[in-house]
Amino acid sequence: MGEPTVTPLEGRDQALPEPVTATPRQRRLHRLRSPRRPRLWFEILLIAVSYWTYSLVRNAVPEQRAEALRNMDWIWRLEHSLGIAVEESVNHGVNSVTWLIVGMNYYYATLHFVVTLAVLVWLYRSHPGRYAATRLVLFATTAVALVGYYLYPLAPPRLMPGGDFVDTVMVHQTWGSMASGDLKHMSNQYAAMPSMHIGWSLWCGLTVFALAKLPWVRILGLLYPTATLVVIVATANHFWLDAVGGVLCLAFGFAVARVWYGTLPYALPRTAPPRGQGRPLLPTKA
């Protein structure tokens, strides 16, 4: 009774010294794996260079039209056999409402980048200890997607020969896809599998849901990838199974972060220790 109690600050590690039994190699690896406060200039440069590299590599993948169309035919037949080939109905249904499909065209063209950057900025400012690990998930997801573009070229539904899909950007003259209209020569049209619109939006949604405090913001986090799924199908830019590919890539990204940091990014401390310090190492066995 009367003794003061000490409560650790939320989201902070206990300040324990590193054990002297750790080897130099363990110490170096520990520093690399420890959450650190991100540097703004480095993050801006890293994101800019990474996106430039992603675009360069994605568009450098050979546009294998014949193989992309064969893969599209296989995907379409598989979806029919699974009873989920309703993309055409969704495409026509939404296209009949002009204001809705035009809005979806602009959604497809802009929010993919805007929301992802907004979540990165929020993480940087509010969750610096989790920023690097969560960013690693996004980067690993995108990297494995590039492998998918190379190994499995796939044409989007709007390019189906003899199909009845509506290219909503062409029809409504909106800037809704880098692979439609006058901009189609600037982007690889046969890089539909996996869908990074789903990979990135689900990364945003899970991050917001896991870390946001306000219930309505967390709900919005879950609604964002759901709305994105409807948009990519309604605009005839992706099949349902492209979205599955995006989910699998994101799972790979989380696995990479889990292996590197030893835990999921959201379980790391919210704040990061000063640079040069890290989480305490476990003592080595004698």
Side-chain angles (χ1 to χ4, degrees), residues 6-260:
V6 179
T7 304
L9 293 177
E10 179 184 358
R12 294 182 182 270
D13 284 331
Q14 297 278 348
L16 298 177
E18 293 182 353
V20 295
T21 54
T23 66
R25 181 176 178 276
Q26 286 178 314
R27 291 179 182 276
R28 286 194 298 270
L29 189 60
H30 169 71
R31 285 195 294 269
L32 287 173
R33 290 179 169 178
S34 295
R36 290 174 293 178
R37 292 176 184 172
R39 292 189 176 100
L40 180 58
W41 67 268
F42 176 79
E43 293 303 323
I44 293 175
L45 180 63
L46 179 63
I47 291 172
V49 171
S50 298
Y51 181 72
W52 176 80
T53 304
Y54 165 75
S55 300
L56 184 67
V57 173
R58 181 180 186 272
N59 296 332
V61 173
E63 292 199 3
Q64 305 173 59
R65 183 176 186 275
E67 185 176 355
L69 292 177
R70 283 196 301 269
N71 290 336
M72 176 179 63
D73 181 63
W74 185 86
I75 288 288
W76 191 228
R77 285 188 285 108
L78 176 61
E79 289 198 350
H80 274 284
S81 67
L82 295 174
I84 59 173
V86 297
E87 289 93 334
E88 195 171 288
S89 298
V90 175
N91 174 237
H92 281 265
V94 178
N95 185 66
S96 65
V97 184
T98 302
W99 65 267
L100 180 59
I101 194 61
V102 169
M104 285 189 174
N105 284 341
Y106 288 119
Y107 180 117
Y108 185 88
T110 59
L111 293 192
H112 179 52
F113 308 103
V114 173
V115 175
T116 303
L117 286 174
V119 173
L120 281 169
V121 171
W122 173 63
L123 281 171
Y124 177 88
R125 291 176 58 87
S126 301
H127 299 268
R130 297 160 179 157
Y131 175 86
T134 313
R135 187 241 291 141
L136 176 61
V137 174
L138 181 64
F139 280 31
T141 298
T142 305
V144 75
L146 290 174
V147 178
Y149 298 147
Y150 187 87
L151 297 178
Y152 196 79
L154 179 69
R158 57 187 173 74
L159 295 182
M160 183 179 293
D164 197 26
F165 284 95
V166 177
D167 188 334
T168 59
V169 173
M170 292 289 290
V171 169
H172 298 282
Q173 296 296 301
T174 55
W175 186 74
S177 172
M178 288 291 290
S180 293
D182 296 334
L183 299 173
K184 64 183 178 182
H185 300 297
M186 298 173 59
S187 180
N188 187 348
Q189 299 190 78
Y190 306 122
M193 171 68 84
S195 169
M196 278 299 92
H197 273 75
I198 292 300
W200 288 13
S201 67
L202 188 56
W203 174 86
C204 292
L206 291 176
T207 299
V208 171
F209 180 77
L211 300 180
K213 293 182 178 180
L214 297 176
W216 66 269
V217 175
R218 301 180 71 204
I219 292 173
L220 284 180
L222 295 182
L223 289 178
Y224 174 55
T226 304
T228 300
L229 177 61
V230 176
V231 167
I232 66 172
V233 171
T235 56
N237 280 294
H238 289 283
F239 295 102
W240 298 120
L241 291 181
D242 298 344
V244 174
V247 173
L248 292 177
C249 288
L250 182 63
F252 172 82
F254 274 108
V256 170
R258 175 68 174 80
V259 169
W260 184 252

Side-chain angles (χ1 to χ4, degrees), residues 266-283:
Y266 311 137
L268 290 169
R270 177 175 183 173
T271 57
R275 299 192 71 85
Q277 299 181 18
R279 291 175 295 173
L281 287 168
L282 294 177

